[in-house]
PDB file of all heavy atoms in Angstrom:
ATOM      1  N   CYS A   1       1.433   3.078 -28.751  1.00  0.00           N
ATOM      2  CA  CYS A   1       0.214   3.737 -28.192  1.00  0.00           C
ATOM      3  C   CYS A   1       0.702   4.814 -27.255  1.00  0.00           C
ATOM      4  O   CYS A   1       0.444   5.968 -27.421  1.00  0.00           O
ATOM      5  CB  CYS A   1      -0.644   2.742 -27.524  1.00  0.00           C
ATOM      6  SG  CYS A   1      -2.129   3.474 -26.757  1.00  0.00           S
ATOM      7  N   ALA A   2       1.262   4.425 -26.121  1.00  0.00           N
ATOM      8  CA  ALA A   2       1.650   5.382 -25.087  1.00  0.00           C
ATOM      9  C   ALA A   2       2.795   6.329 -25.574  1.00  0.00           C
ATOM     10  O   ALA A   2       2.825   7.496 -25.234  1.00  0.00           O
ATOM     11  CB  ALA A   2       2.085   4.677 -23.812  1.00  0.00           C
ATOM     12  N   VAL A   3       3.688   5.803 -26.337  1.00  0.00           N
ATOM     13  CA  VAL A   3       4.806   6.627 -26.933  1.00  0.00           C
ATOM     14  C   VAL A   3       4.248   7.747 -27.796  1.00  0.00           C
ATOM     15  O   VAL A   3       4.661   8.893 -27.743  1.00  0.00           O
ATOM     16  CB  VAL A   3       5.832   5.785 -27.642  1.00  0.00           C
ATOM     17  CG1 VAL A   3       6.846   6.688 -28.359  1.00  0.00           C
ATOM     18  CG2 VAL A   3       6.561   4.928 -26.707  1.00  0.00           C
ATOM     19  N   SER A   4       3.295   7.381 -28.636  1.00  0.00           N
ATOM     20  CA  SER A   4       2.698   8.385 -29.507  1.00  0.00           C
ATOM     21  C   SER A   4       1.817   9.436 -28.764  1.00  0.00           C
ATOM     22  O   SER A   4       1.798  10.596 -29.164  1.00  0.00           O
ATOM     23  CB  SER A   4       1.766   7.685 -30.570  1.00  0.00           C
ATOM     24  OG  SER A   4       2.546   6.834 -31.401  1.00  0.00           O
ATOM     25  N   ALA A   5       1.272   9.030 -27.674  1.00  0.00           N
ATOM     26  CA  ALA A   5       0.517   9.938 -26.810  1.00  0.00           C
ATOM     27  C   ALA A   5       1.545  10.964 -26.272  1.00  0.00           C
ATOM     28  O   ALA A   5       1.277  12.154 -26.242  1.00  0.00           O
ATOM     29  CB  ALA A   5      -0.164   9.187 -25.700  1.00  0.00           C
ATOM     30  N   ALA A   6       2.645  10.424 -25.709  1.00  0.00           N
ATOM     31  CA  ALA A   6       3.617  11.384 -25.240  1.00  0.00           C
ATOM     32  C   ALA A   6       4.219  12.302 -26.265  1.00  0.00           C
ATOM     33  O   ALA A   6       4.537  13.438 -26.040  1.00  0.00           O
ATOM     34  CB  ALA A   6       4.769  10.618 -24.504  1.00  0.00           C
ATOM     35  N   ALA A   7       4.359  11.735 -27.483  1.00  0.00           N
ATOM     36  CA  ALA A   7       4.967  12.512 -28.563  1.00  0.00           C
ATOM     37  C   ALA A   7       4.125  13.723 -28.974  1.00  0.00           C
ATOM     38  O   ALA A   7       4.649  14.741 -29.506  1.00  0.00           O
ATOM     39  CB  ALA A   7       5.123  11.633 -29.838  1.00  0.00           C
ATOM     40  N   GLN A   8       2.835  13.719 -28.626  1.00  0.00           N
ATOM     41  CA  GLN A   8       1.974  14.886 -28.924  1.00  0.00           C
ATOM     42  C   GLN A   8       2.427  16.147 -28.285  1.00  0.00           C
ATOM     43  O   GLN A   8       2.244  17.236 -28.687  1.00  0.00           O
ATOM     44  CB  GLN A   8       0.514  14.558 -28.566  1.00  0.00           C
ATOM     45  CG  GLN A   8      -0.125  13.406 -29.290  1.00  0.00           C
ATOM     46  CD  GLN A   8      -0.157  13.478 -30.723  1.00  0.00           C
ATOM     47  OE1 GLN A   8      -0.598  14.498 -31.270  1.00  0.00           O
ATOM     48  NE2 GLN A   8       0.393  12.475 -31.433  1.00  0.00           N
ATOM     49  N   LEU A   9       3.164  15.953 -27.098  1.00  0.00           N
ATOM     50  CA  LEU A   9       3.684  17.123 -26.387  1.00  0.00           C
ATOM     51  C   LEU A   9       5.085  17.543 -26.809  1.00  0.00           C
ATOM     52  O   LEU A   9       5.618  18.531 -26.368  1.00  0.00           O
ATOM     53  CB  LEU A   9       3.719  16.801 -24.893  1.00  0.00           C
ATOM     54  CG  LEU A   9       2.376  16.594 -24.109  1.00  0.00           C
ATOM     55  CD1 LEU A   9       2.146  15.054 -23.921  1.00  0.00           C
ATOM     56  CD2 LEU A   9       2.347  17.245 -22.805  1.00  0.00           C
ATOM     57  N   SER A  10       5.742  16.761 -27.562  1.00  0.00           N
ATOM     58  CA  SER A  10       7.128  16.882 -27.929  1.00  0.00           C
ATOM     59  C   SER A  10       7.510  18.207 -28.481  1.00  0.00           C
ATOM     60  O   SER A  10       8.587  18.691 -28.211  1.00  0.00           O
ATOM     61  CB  SER A  10       7.677  15.700 -28.762  1.00  0.00           C
ATOM     62  OG  SER A  10       7.038  15.729 -30.064  1.00  0.00           O
ATOM     63  N   PRO A  11       6.698  18.903 -29.356  1.00  0.00           N
ATOM     64  CA  PRO A  11       7.083  20.143 -29.847  1.00  0.00           C
ATOM     65  C   PRO A  11       7.332  21.258 -28.767  1.00  0.00           C
ATOM     66  O   PRO A  11       7.822  22.316 -29.039  1.00  0.00           O
ATOM     67  CB  PRO A  11       5.984  20.525 -30.853  1.00  0.00           C
ATOM     68  CG  PRO A  11       5.390  19.241 -31.203  1.00  0.00           C
ATOM     69  CD  PRO A  11       5.457  18.391 -29.982  1.00  0.00           C
ATOM     70  N   ALA A  12       6.822  20.987 -27.528  1.00  0.00           N
ATOM     71  CA  ALA A  12       6.846  21.943 -26.488  1.00  0.00           C
ATOM     72  C   ALA A  12       7.991  21.700 -25.559  1.00  0.00           C
ATOM     73  O   ALA A  12       8.097  22.485 -24.512  1.00  0.00           O
ATOM     74  CB  ALA A  12       5.582  21.968 -25.687  1.00  0.00           C
ATOM     75  N   VAL A  13       8.885  20.738 -25.794  1.00  0.00           N
ATOM     76  CA  VAL A  13       9.959  20.443 -24.809  1.00  0.00           C
ATOM     77  C   VAL A  13      11.326  20.592 -25.332  1.00  0.00           C
ATOM     78  O   VAL A  13      11.560  20.836 -26.514  1.00  0.00           O
ATOM     79  CB  VAL A  13       9.744  18.930 -24.333  1.00  0.00           C
ATOM     80  CG1 VAL A  13       8.352  18.692 -23.824  1.00  0.00           C
ATOM     81  CG2 VAL A  13      10.144  17.922 -25.453  1.00  0.00           C
ATOM     82  N   ASP A  14      12.322  20.529 -24.429  1.00  0.00           N
ATOM     83  CA  ASP A  14      13.745  20.717 -24.753  1.00  0.00           C
ATOM     84  C   ASP A  14      14.398  19.406 -25.187  1.00  0.00           C
ATOM     85  O   ASP A  14      15.228  19.378 -26.074  1.00  0.00           O
ATOM     86  CB  ASP A  14      14.521  21.328 -23.566  1.00  0.00           C
ATOM     87  CG  ASP A  14      13.934  22.651 -23.124  1.00  0.00           C
ATOM     88  OD1 ASP A  14      14.103  23.595 -23.863  1.00  0.00           O
ATOM     89  OD2 ASP A  14      13.353  22.637 -22.035  1.00  0.00           O
ATOM     90  N   PHE A  15      14.082  18.402 -24.500  1.00  0.00           N
ATOM     91  CA  PHE A  15      14.657  17.019 -24.774  1.00  0.00           C
ATOM     92  C   PHE A  15      13.505  16.003 -24.829  1.00  0.00           C
ATOM     93  O   PHE A  15      12.511  16.172 -24.119  1.00  0.00           O
ATOM     94  CB  PHE A  15      15.629  16.570 -23.713  1.00  0.00           C
ATOM     95  CG  PHE A  15      16.906  17.366 -23.688  1.00  0.00           C
ATOM     96  CD1 PHE A  15      17.082  18.409 -22.813  1.00  0.00           C
ATOM     97  CD2 PHE A  15      17.963  16.984 -24.488  1.00  0.00           C
ATOM     98  CE1 PHE A  15      18.234  19.112 -22.783  1.00  0.00           C
ATOM     99  CE2 PHE A  15      19.176  17.727 -24.428  1.00  0.00           C
ATOM    100  CZ  PHE A  15      19.316  18.735 -23.621  1.00  0.00           C
ATOM    101  N   ALA A  16      13.712  14.994 -25.664  1.00  0.00           N
ATOM    102  CA  ALA A  16      12.727  13.889 -25.719  1.00  0.00           C
ATOM    103  C   ALA A  16      13.416  12.588 -25.659  1.00  0.00           C
ATOM    104  O   ALA A  16      14.521  12.380 -26.212  1.00  0.00           O
ATOM    105  CB  ALA A  16      11.921  13.947 -26.985  1.00  0.00           C
ATOM    106  N   ASP A  17      12.920  11.704 -24.873  1.00  0.00           N
ATOM    107  CA  ASP A  17      13.369  10.277 -24.784  1.00  0.00           C
ATOM    108  C   ASP A  17      12.224   9.368 -25.069  1.00  0.00           C
ATOM    109  O   ASP A  17      11.591   8.798 -24.109  1.00  0.00           O
ATOM    110  CB  ASP A  17      13.954  10.059 -23.403  1.00  0.00           C
ATOM    111  CG  ASP A  17      14.466   8.620 -23.232  1.00  0.00           C
ATOM    112  OD1 ASP A  17      14.915   8.005 -24.192  1.00  0.00           O
ATOM    113  OD2 ASP A  17      14.408   8.094 -22.048  1.00  0.00           O
ATOM    114  N   LEU A  18      11.838   9.248 -26.330  1.00  0.00           N
ATOM    115  CA  LEU A  18      10.602   8.459 -26.689  1.00  0.00           C
ATOM    116  C   LEU A  18      11.009   7.311 -27.641  1.00  0.00           C
ATOM    117  O   LEU A  18      10.753   7.367 -28.808  1.00  0.00           O
ATOM    118  CB  LEU A  18       9.674   9.424 -27.423  1.00  0.00           C
ATOM    119  CG  LEU A  18       9.118  10.594 -26.550  1.00  0.00           C
ATOM    120  CD1 LEU A  18       8.145  11.442 -27.385  1.00  0.00           C
ATOM    121  CD2 LEU A  18       8.399  10.024 -25.263  1.00  0.00           C
ATOM    122  N   ASP A  19      11.701   6.406 -26.986  1.00  0.00           N
ATOM    123  CA  ASP A  19      12.227   5.199 -27.739  1.00  0.00           C
ATOM    124  C   ASP A  19      11.599   3.897 -27.256  1.00  0.00           C
ATOM    125  O   ASP A  19      12.009   2.844 -27.654  1.00  0.00           O
ATOM    126  CB  ASP A  19      13.744   5.140 -27.734  1.00  0.00           C
ATOM    127  CG  ASP A  19      14.260   4.949 -26.278  1.00  0.00           C
ATOM    128  OD1 ASP A  19      13.443   5.072 -25.333  1.00  0.00           O
ATOM    129  OD2 ASP A  19      15.462   4.647 -26.124  1.00  0.00           O
ATOM    130  N   GLY A  20      10.608   3.963 -26.276  1.00  0.00           N
ATOM    131  CA  GLY A  20      10.168   2.754 -25.658  1.00  0.00           C
ATOM    132  C   GLY A  20       9.573   1.733 -26.637  1.00  0.00           C
ATOM    133  O   GLY A  20       9.731   0.521 -26.419  1.00  0.00           O
ATOM    134  N   ASN A  21       8.944   2.227 -27.661  1.00  0.00           N
ATOM    135  CA  ASN A  21       8.425   1.344 -28.699  1.00  0.00           C
ATOM    136  C   ASN A  21       9.463   0.679 -29.563  1.00  0.00           C
ATOM    137  O   ASN A  21       9.272  -0.412 -30.162  1.00  0.00           O
ATOM    138  CB  ASN A  21       7.350   2.057 -29.569  1.00  0.00           C
ATOM    139  CG  ASN A  21       7.947   3.313 -30.286  1.00  0.00           C
ATOM    140  OD1 ASN A  21       8.873   3.885 -29.747  1.00  0.00           O
ATOM    141  ND2 ASN A  21       7.460   3.571 -31.441  1.00  0.00           N
ATOM    142  N   LEU A  22      10.632   1.324 -29.634  1.00  0.00           N
ATOM    143  CA  LEU A  22      11.718   0.833 -30.481  1.00  0.00           C
ATOM    144  C   LEU A  22      12.514  -0.268 -29.693  1.00  0.00           C
ATOM    145  O   LEU A  22      13.313  -0.941 -30.305  1.00  0.00           O
ATOM    146  CB  LEU A  22      12.651   1.946 -30.840  1.00  0.00           C
ATOM    147  CG  LEU A  22      11.991   3.112 -31.601  1.00  0.00           C
ATOM    148  CD1 LEU A  22      13.060   4.190 -31.825  1.00  0.00           C
ATOM    149  CD2 LEU A  22      11.324   2.720 -32.846  1.00  0.00           C
ATOM    150  N   LEU A  23      12.240  -0.420 -28.415  1.00  0.00           N
ATOM    151  CA  LEU A  23      12.999  -1.399 -27.625  1.00  0.00           C
ATOM    152  C   LEU A  23      12.252  -2.707 -27.454  1.00  0.00           C
ATOM    153  O   LEU A  23      12.812  -3.637 -26.931  1.00  0.00           O
ATOM    154  CB  LEU A  23      13.197  -0.827 -26.193  1.00  0.00           C
ATOM    155  CG  LEU A  23      13.960   0.494 -26.042  1.00  0.00           C
ATOM    156  CD1 LEU A  23      13.973   0.993 -24.587  1.00  0.00           C
ATOM    157  CD2 LEU A  23      15.372   0.388 -26.648  1.00  0.00           C
ATOM    158  N   ILE A  24      11.097  -2.800 -28.139  1.00  0.00           N
ATOM    159  CA  ILE A  24      10.287  -4.046 -27.986  1.00  0.00           C
ATOM    160  C   ILE A  24      10.150  -4.712 -29.405  1.00  0.00           C
ATOM    161  O   ILE A  24      10.321  -4.099 -30.435  1.00  0.00           O
ATOM    162  CB  ILE A  24       8.878  -3.782 -27.352  1.00  0.00           C
ATOM    163  CG1 ILE A  24       8.067  -2.902 -28.291  1.00  0.00           C
ATOM    164  CG2 ILE A  24       9.079  -3.143 -25.981  1.00  0.00           C
ATOM    165  CD1 ILE A  24       6.631  -2.726 -27.809  1.00  0.00           C
ATOM    166  N   THR A  25       9.758  -5.985 -29.321  1.00  0.00           N
ATOM    167  CA  THR A  25       9.600  -6.853 -30.528  1.00  0.00           C
ATOM    168  C   THR A  25       8.138  -7.045 -30.895  1.00  0.00           C
ATOM    169  O   THR A  25       7.849  -7.594 -31.966  1.00  0.00           O
ATOM    170  CB  THR A  25      10.308  -8.149 -30.385  1.00  0.00           C
ATOM    171  OG1 THR A  25       9.687  -8.905 -29.307  1.00  0.00           O
ATOM    172  CG2 THR A  25      11.789  -7.983 -30.079  1.00  0.00           C
ATOM    173  N   ASN A  26       7.217  -6.704 -30.022  1.00  0.00           N
ATOM    174  CA  ASN A  26       5.753  -7.069 -30.250  1.00  0.00           C
ATOM    175  C   ASN A  26       4.872  -5.830 -30.194  1.00  0.00           C
ATOM    176  O   ASN A  26       3.868  -5.877 -29.438  1.00  0.00           O
ATOM    177  CB  ASN A  26       5.308  -8.169 -29.240  1.00  0.00           C
ATOM    178  CG  ASN A  26       5.529  -7.720 -27.790  1.00  0.00           C
ATOM    179  OD1 ASN A  26       6.327  -6.849 -27.481  1.00  0.00           O
ATOM    180  ND2 ASN A  26       4.764  -8.403 -26.942  1.00  0.00           N
ATOM    181  N   ASP A  27       5.170  -4.770 -30.850  1.00  0.00           N
ATOM    182  CA  ASP A  27       4.339  -3.634 -30.928  1.00  0.00           C
ATOM    183  C   ASP A  27       3.034  -3.966 -31.541  1.00  0.00           C
ATOM    184  O   ASP A  27       2.929  -4.826 -32.464  1.00  0.00           O
ATOM    185  CB  ASP A  27       5.019  -2.526 -31.689  1.00  0.00           C
ATOM    186  CG  ASP A  27       4.522  -1.124 -31.376  1.00  0.00           C
ATOM    187  OD1 ASP A  27       3.459  -0.999 -30.688  1.00  0.00           O
ATOM    188  OD2 ASP A  27       5.183  -0.121 -31.757  1.00  0.00           O
ATOM    189  N   LEU A  28       1.924  -3.328 -31.044  1.00  0.00           N
ATOM    190  CA  LEU A  28       0.589  -3.542 -31.599  1.00  0.00           C
ATOM    191  C   LEU A  28       0.164  -2.502 -32.583  1.00  0.00           C
ATOM    192  O   LEU A  28      -0.875  -2.673 -33.292  1.00  0.00           O
ATOM    193  CB  LEU A  28      -0.389  -3.573 -30.428  1.00  0.00           C
ATOM    194  CG  LEU A  28      -0.397  -4.781 -29.478  1.00  0.00           C
ATOM    195  CD1 LEU A  28      -1.029  -4.423 -28.216  1.00  0.00           C
ATOM    196  CD2 LEU A  28      -1.008  -5.996 -30.195  1.00  0.00           C
ATOM    197  N   PHE A  29       0.886  -1.353 -32.648  1.00  0.00           N
ATOM    198  CA  PHE A  29       0.419  -0.228 -33.388  1.00  0.00           C
ATOM    199  C   PHE A  29       1.599   0.367 -34.217  1.00  0.00           C
ATOM    200  O   PHE A  29       2.740   0.132 -33.980  1.00  0.00           O
ATOM    201  CB  PHE A  29      -0.009   0.857 -32.447  1.00  0.00           C
ATOM    202  CG  PHE A  29      -1.090   0.484 -31.433  1.00  0.00           C
ATOM    203  CD1 PHE A  29      -0.728   0.005 -30.188  1.00  0.00           C
ATOM    204  CD2 PHE A  29      -2.448   0.587 -31.784  1.00  0.00           C
ATOM    205  CE1 PHE A  29      -1.702  -0.312 -29.275  1.00  0.00           C
ATOM    206  CE2 PHE A  29      -3.387   0.220 -30.891  1.00  0.00           C
ATOM    207  CZ  PHE A  29      -3.070  -0.239 -29.627  1.00  0.00           C
ATOM    208  N   LYS A  30       1.155   1.166 -35.230  1.00  0.00           N
ATOM    209  CA  LYS A  30       2.092   2.108 -35.883  1.00  0.00           C
ATOM    210  C   LYS A  30       1.651   3.468 -35.420  1.00  0.00           C
ATOM    211  O   LYS A  30       0.461   3.869 -35.545  1.00  0.00           O
ATOM    212  CB  LYS A  30       2.033   1.917 -37.367  1.00  0.00           C
ATOM    213  CG  LYS A  30       2.936   2.876 -38.091  1.00  0.00           C
ATOM    214  CD  LYS A  30       2.800   2.765 -39.635  1.00  0.00           C
ATOM    215  CE  LYS A  30       3.723   3.789 -40.388  1.00  0.00           C
ATOM    216  NZ  LYS A  30       3.594   3.666 -41.818  1.00  0.00           N
ATOM    217  N   GLY A  31       2.642   4.225 -34.959  1.00  0.00           N
ATOM    218  CA  GLY A  31       2.285   5.573 -34.500  1.00  0.00           C
ATOM    219  C   GLY A  31       3.356   6.579 -34.779  1.00  0.00           C
ATOM    220  O   GLY A  31       3.872   6.628 -35.909  1.00  0.00           O
ATOM    221  N   MET A  32       3.863   7.259 -33.737  1.00  0.00           N
ATOM    222  CA  MET A  32       4.941   8.189 -33.857  1.00  0.00           C
ATOM    223  C   MET A  32       6.160   7.523 -34.511  1.00  0.00           C
ATOM    224  O   MET A  32       6.505   6.376 -34.182  1.00  0.00           O
ATOM    225  CB  MET A  32       5.273   8.773 -32.513  1.00  0.00           C
ATOM    226  CG  MET A  32       6.467   9.780 -32.522  1.00  0.00           C
ATOM    227  SD  MET A  32       8.105   9.076 -32.485  1.00  0.00           S
ATOM    228  CE  MET A  32       8.298   8.494 -30.808  1.00  0.00           C
ATOM    229  N   GLU A  33       6.768   8.178 -35.469  1.00  0.00           N
ATOM    230  CA  GLU A  33       7.898   7.627 -36.150  1.00  0.00           C
ATOM    231  C   GLU A  33       9.176   8.510 -35.917  1.00  0.00           C
ATOM    232  O   GLU A  33       9.077   9.670 -35.518  1.00  0.00           O
ATOM    233  CB  GLU A  33       7.708   7.493 -37.649  1.00  0.00           C
ATOM    234  CG  GLU A  33       6.559   6.567 -38.007  1.00  0.00           C
ATOM    235  CD  GLU A  33       6.420   6.388 -39.443  1.00  0.00           C
ATOM    236  OE1 GLU A  33       6.550   7.402 -40.214  1.00  0.00           O
ATOM    237  OE2 GLU A  33       6.174   5.222 -39.939  1.00  0.00           O
ATOM    238  N   VAL A  34      10.362   7.895 -36.063  1.00  0.00           N
ATOM    239  CA  VAL A  34      11.583   8.615 -35.955  1.00  0.00           C
ATOM    240  C   VAL A  34      12.212   8.716 -37.377  1.00  0.00           C
ATOM    241  O   VAL A  34      12.457   7.663 -37.981  1.00  0.00           O
ATOM    242  CB  VAL A  34      12.570   7.924 -35.041  1.00  0.00           C
ATOM    243  CG1 VAL A  34      13.885   8.707 -35.011  1.00  0.00           C
ATOM    244  CG2 VAL A  34      11.950   7.853 -33.629  1.00  0.00           C
ATOM    245  N   VAL A  35      12.344   9.911 -37.933  1.00  0.00           N
ATOM    246  CA  VAL A  35      12.842  10.134 -39.245  1.00  0.00           C
ATOM    247  C   VAL A  35      14.107  10.977 -39.190  1.00  0.00           C
ATOM    248  O   VAL A  35      14.074  12.095 -38.610  1.00  0.00           O
ATOM    249  CB  VAL A  35      11.808  10.823 -40.108  1.00  0.00           C
ATOM    250  CG1 VAL A  35      12.430  11.062 -41.483  1.00  0.00           C
ATOM    251  CG2 VAL A  35      10.518   9.996 -40.222  1.00  0.00           C
ATOM    252  N   ASP A  36      15.169  10.371 -39.617  1.00  0.00           N
ATOM    253  CA  ASP A  36      16.505  11.019 -39.463  1.00  0.00           C
ATOM    254  C   ASP A  36      16.770  11.472 -38.020  1.00  0.00           C
ATOM    255  O   ASP A  36      17.328  12.543 -37.787  1.00  0.00           O
ATOM    256  CB  ASP A  36      16.554  12.282 -40.434  1.00  0.00           C
ATOM    257  CG  ASP A  36      16.504  11.849 -41.877  1.00  0.00           C
ATOM    258  OD1 ASP A  36      16.955  10.767 -42.194  1.00  0.00           O
ATOM    259  OD2 ASP A  36      15.957  12.624 -42.667  1.00  0.00           O
ATOM    260  N   GLY A  37      16.356  10.608 -37.105  1.00  0.00           N
ATOM    261  CA  GLY A  37      16.662  10.909 -35.713  1.00  0.00           C
ATOM    262  C   GLY A  37      15.677  11.788 -35.017  1.00  0.00           C
ATOM    263  O   GLY A  37      15.687  11.879 -33.832  1.00  0.00           O
TER     264      GLY A  37
END
């Protein structure tokens, strides 16, 4: 949820650190994905 919200801004930035959902085992949602990094 929150990671996908932040990802909406990602095309406007130099670096992104949006891995918080990947560090947990009990996500509630499917949202922003990482494809080929």
Side-chain angles (χ1 to χ4, degrees):
C1 177
V3 171
S4 297
Q8 301 300 309
L9 296 101
S10 64
V13 306
D14 301 290
F15 291 96
D17 179 30
L18 297 180
D19 63 347
N21 57 330
L22 305 177
L23 302 176
I24 64 173
T25 61
N26 58 337
D27 204 347
L28 288 161
F29 305 92
K30 179 181 178 181
M32 182 275 288
E33 296 184 321
V34 178
V35 178
D36 296 328

